[in-house]
């Protein structure tokens, strides 16, 4: 579900396409009537009531038949931004707009809400939101299971060096800057993907490689369901920058405050169970991606290296690959590369 | 600041991290993360907010000392002495 902003006051006079229809970017979707035009035709309903709540994914632009005009209060903001600000008691005069001509956008208001929620109690998710997410997850995994011939591989990774590197790094940092293992494994995965471009791709009438490595990180929601925001250009980010990205997207994901741009153009996914829980996770590929990397919970295990038995912290990394796109050998080499990266955290 | 005041702050901060839980029902010796089903990311966020609210430093090697409500409150009491 994507909300589309306009920066003019008015109401939608006519919907030119049927709700739910997919149309190319740039298609005129609706005509907006200005206040004057609405007065002429008698006000029948409010903008909120007739604004379509669900928009086709490809849509981006609503073309407007009228020139822009300024607000009486000299605060330029989209009606959607105003509505959300009012619902969340956000003072628009305190927000610096980043939209057209400094207009306040929904994104600006969302950011203000996030800031406000850092110091106030966050809202709980509603059953309706959770049900919508459940249905979205159901649709995606059903499509995946129906269309994608998965193959699965696993590799145990000794995390002794990686965790020691993290401990050392964190000992020098204030708590706000500390790193979690997730940041390191995302970085290691992104670095390996640069050598395995066939895994950083989508399947759409054939394999289409993607230049940017935009990792979808699976975030579990309290109350059920998952959401997969993107960490963009992960291979170009440092471990610190990836941690900053996690600090940004995870709270917003759990507060249901992600923007549509946070969820698009992912090229591969990572799912990580964190500490405790199951040892291994075999992911379901998120279409049209062609791979998902899984990390089970870390645990102390007997591990043999160079003929010596020791007790080591072990992560089991898995790869679920689309067999139309790659073969097991590619996946196996990828997991070996990932292991190698995590044995050399200084080089990440 | 007494023990109950610290507990109230802990409950408030946990509630911010996990709004759908009831931290007030935590028993003194229950594992906070396991009982409230909080992952490592939320735990870090909680410790950051605790650091900012109480102005106490919590080194990573101390994480293991503050797994229950009782050990956490005792830890904070010691830190703010």
């Amino acid at each position: 579900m994507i909300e589309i902003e306009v920066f003019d006051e008015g109401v939608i006079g006519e919907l030119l396409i049927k709700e739910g229809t997919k149309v190319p970017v740039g298609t005129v979707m609706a005509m907006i009537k200005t206040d004057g035009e609405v007065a002429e035709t008698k006000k029948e309903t409010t903008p909120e009531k007739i604004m379509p709540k669900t928009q086709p994914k490809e849509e981006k632009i609503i073309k407007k038949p009228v020139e822009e005009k300024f607000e009486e209060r000299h605060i330029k903001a989209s009606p959607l931004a105003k509505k959300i600000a009012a619902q969340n008691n956000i003072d628009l005069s305190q927000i610096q707009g980043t939209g057209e001509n400094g207009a306040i956008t929904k994104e600006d208001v969302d950011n203000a809400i996030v800031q406000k929620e850092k110091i106030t109690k966050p809202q709980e998710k509603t059953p309706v939101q959770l049900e919508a997410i459940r249905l979205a997850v159901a649709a995606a995994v059903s499509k995946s299971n129906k269309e994608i011939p998965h193959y699965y591989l696993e590799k145990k990774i000794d995390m002794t060096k990686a965790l020691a590197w993290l401990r050392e790094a964190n000992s020098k940092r204030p708590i706000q800057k500390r790193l979690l293992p997730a940041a390191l494994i995302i970085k290691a995965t992104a670095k390996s993907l640069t050598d395995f471009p066939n895994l950083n791709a989508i399947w759409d009438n054939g394999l289409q490689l993607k230049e940017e490595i935009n990792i979808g990180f699976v975030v579990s929601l309290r109350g059920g369901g998952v959401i997969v925001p993107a960490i963009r250009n992960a291979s170009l980010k440092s471990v610190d920058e990836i941690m900053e990205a996690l600090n940004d997207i995870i709270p917003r994901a759990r507060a249901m405050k992600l923007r549509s741009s946070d969820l698009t153009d992912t090229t591969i996914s990572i799912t990580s169970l964190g500490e405790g829980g199951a040892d291994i996770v075999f992911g379901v590929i998120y279409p049209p991606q062609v791979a998902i990397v899984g990390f089970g919970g870390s645990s102390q295990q007997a591990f043999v290296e160079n003929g010596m038995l020791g007790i080591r912290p072990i992560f089991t990394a898995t790869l679920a690959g689309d067999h139309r796109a790659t073969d097991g050998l590619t996946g196996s080499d990828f997991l070996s590369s990932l292991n190698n990266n995590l044995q050399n955290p200084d080089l990440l | 600041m007494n023990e109950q005041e610290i507990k109230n702050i802990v409950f408030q901060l946990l509630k911010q991290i996990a709004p759908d839980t009831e931290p007030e029902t935590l028993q003194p010796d229950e594992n906070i993360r396991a009982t409230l089903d909080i992952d490592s990311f939320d735990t870090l966020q909680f410790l950051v907010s605790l650091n900012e609210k109480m102005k106490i430093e919590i080194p990573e090697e101390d994480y293991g000392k503050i797994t229950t409500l009782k050990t956490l409150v005792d830890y904070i009491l010691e830190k703010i002495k």
Side-chain angles (χ1 to χ4, degrees), chain B residues 4-31:
Chain B
Q4 189 55 48
E5 287 170 326
I6 292 171
K7 274 187 188 173
N8 289 342
I9 289 172
V10 167
F11 294 154
Q12 180 199 347
L13 298 178
L14 284 170
K15 190 80 178 168
Q16 279 181 23
I17 299 295
D20 55 339
T21 63
E22 294 178 2
E24 302 85 354
T25 63
L26 274 171
Q27 297 300 305
D29 294 322
E30 277 182 325
N31 183 291

Side-chain angles (χ1 to χ4, degrees), chain A residues 122 170 176 178 222 254, chain B residues 20 36-37 39 58 60 63:
Chain A
N170 285 341
Q176 289 82 356
R178 281 182 203 158
R222 306 186 63 81
R254 290 188 168 149
Chain B
D20 55 339
L36 300 184
D37 194 19
D39 67 10
I58 308 172
E60 197 176 45
Y63 290 179

Side-chain angles (χ1 to χ4, degrees), chain A residues 51-313:
Chain A
M51 183 75 79
K53 287 188 175 175
T54 305
Q55 303 284 4
K57 239 183 170 180
E58 285 81 358
E59 296 166 357
K60 291 276 189 213
I61 298 167
I62 293 180
K63 287 191 178 169
K64 297 154 282 189
V66 295
E67 292 297 310
E68 288 183 348
K69 61 176 192 173
F70 285 94
E71 283 286 297
E72 302 102 318
R73 289 181 295 117
H74 303 294
I75 297 175
K76 195 167 172 64
S78 71
L80 179 60
K82 286 181 186 172
K83 179 184 164 190
I84 296 170
Q87 286 171 343
N88 292 277
N89 295 321
I90 299 292
D91 183 359
L92 287 174
S93 67
Q94 302 300 310
I95 299 177
Q96 184 74 39
T98 60
E100 197 175 330
N101 295 325
I104 296 169
T105 65
K106 173 181 174 289
E107 186 178 329
D108 297 326
V109 177
D110 284 346
N111 288 337
I113 292 169
V114 170
Q115 291 304 314
K116 185 182 172 191
E117 284 182 348
K118 281 185 177 175
I119 52 172
T120 57
K121 181 184 164 184
Q123 293 176 336
E124 292 184 27
K125 292 177 281 296
T126 66
V128 174
Q129 286 174 316
L130 290 173
E131 189 181 341
I133 286 187
R134 191 73 260 163
L135 290 174
V137 171
V141 295
S142 297
K143 180 178 169 66
S144 176
N145 203 35
K146 186 177 169 191
E147 296 180 1
I148 302 177
H150 289 59
Y151 68 85
Y152 303 99
L153 301 165
E154 68 172 81
K155 184 164 184 65
K156 285 186 176 181
I157 297 181
D158 177 2
M159 291 292 287
T160 303
K161 290 175 185 166
L163 295 180
W165 182 90
L166 276 175
R167 269 194 304 277
E168 173 67 16
N170 285 341
S171 68
K172 299 169 186 163
R173 294 159 183 260
I175 194 165
Q176 289 82 356
K177 297 282 184 188
R178 281 182 203 158
L179 304 168
L180 288 172
L184 202 59
I185 61 178
I186 291 168
K187 177 62 187 175
T189 302
K191 189 177 180 191
S192 288
L193 284 169
T194 59
D195 293 328
F196 296 90
N198 286 6
L199 294 170
N200 188 66
I202 63 167
W203 185 271
D204 184 11
N205 291 320
L207 187 62
Q208 298 181 16
L209 307 186
K210 295 292 178 181
E211 198 167 315
E212 289 183 0
I213 296 175
N214 298 331
I215 291 180
F217 187 71
V218 179
V219 177
S220 61
L221 302 176
R222 306 186 63 81
V226 295
I227 199 159
V228 192
I231 299 170
R232 297 189 182 284
N233 283 311
S235 58
L236 304 180
K237 286 183 162 68
S238 65
V239 178
D240 279 276
E241 287 169 333
I242 287 173
M243 190 67 211
E244 284 169 21
L246 291 174
N247 285 334
D248 173 39
I249 58 174
I250 294 179
R252 287 198 292 117
R254 290 188 168 149
M256 310 292 281
K257 301 292 182 192
L258 289 175
R259 298 181 283 270
S260 56
S261 58
D262 292 319
L263 298 164
T264 53
D265 302 327
T266 47
T267 54
I268 190 170
S269 295
I270 291 179
T271 181
S272 172
L273 298 181
E275 296 167 43
D279 295 330
I280 302 177
V281 54
F282 294 104
V284 178
I285 297 169
Y286 184 45
Q289 296 169 17
V290 296
I292 179 169
V293 182
F295 292 90
S298 66
S299 60
Q300 297 286 324
Q301 294 182 24
F303 192 82
V304 178
E305 187 180 43
N306 299 326
M308 297 289 286
L309 180 64
I311 305 296
R312 304 282 177 83

